[in-house]
Amino acid sequence: MDVLGANNVDIFSQTMQQSSELESLANEAIKSGIDKYVSKNYEGAASEFNRAIGMAPSSPYAVDAAHYMAQAHLQLEDTGKAVDAYKRAIQLNPYR
């Protein structure tokens, strides 16, 4: 393999590893958000769910995080932000 080909493989490998690490961090943020939601810390929960989406928007769990975020906003009686979170869920995956 020529030098250029080897560099492309290295970049691809690094990108895949970073993506995996971000998805893992996003999953931790979702877990943290669920814990905060259960503890009735709805503002903290919404923040964690938003953080999870920001870290890994293409994760299969990003839509779940957006739904959870909407529920947290509903608990805070902020229907505007809840609607925005549901719209974000649709943008992330319109088929779910």
Side-chain angles (χ1 to χ4, degrees):
M1 187 178 301
D2 63 9
V3 174
L4 186 58
N7 286 340
N8 287 340
V9 171
D10 289 343
I11 291 170
F12 178 76
S13 295
Q14 289 173 354
T15 301
M16 292 304 294
Q17 182 179 359
Q18 287 175 348
S19 177
S20 177
E21 289 170 2
L22 283 174
E23 189 164 337
S24 179
L25 288 171
N27 290 341
E28 290 299 319
I30 291 172
K31 290 176 191 174
S32 175
I34 291 170
D35 289 343
K36 289 179 181 189
Y37 187 94
V38 170
S39 298
K40 300 184 190 255
N41 177 357
Y42 302 119
E43 286 183 24
S47 177
E48 287 297 301
F49 297 136
N50 189 50
R51 191 168 71 93
I53 296 166
M55 281 191 274
S58 61
S59 165
Y61 302 109
V63 174
D64 295 327
H67 283 283
Y68 297 152
M69 183 169 52
Q71 290 300 311
H73 286 304
L74 287 173
Q75 290 295 328
L76 293 166
E77 298 181 3
D78 191 338
T79 53
K81 285 186 179 179
V83 169
D84 289 343
Y86 282 126
K87 286 179 181 178
R88 193 165 185 190
I90 292 168
Q91 288 173 339
L92 291 167
N93 186 345
Y95 304 104
R96 229 178 114 190

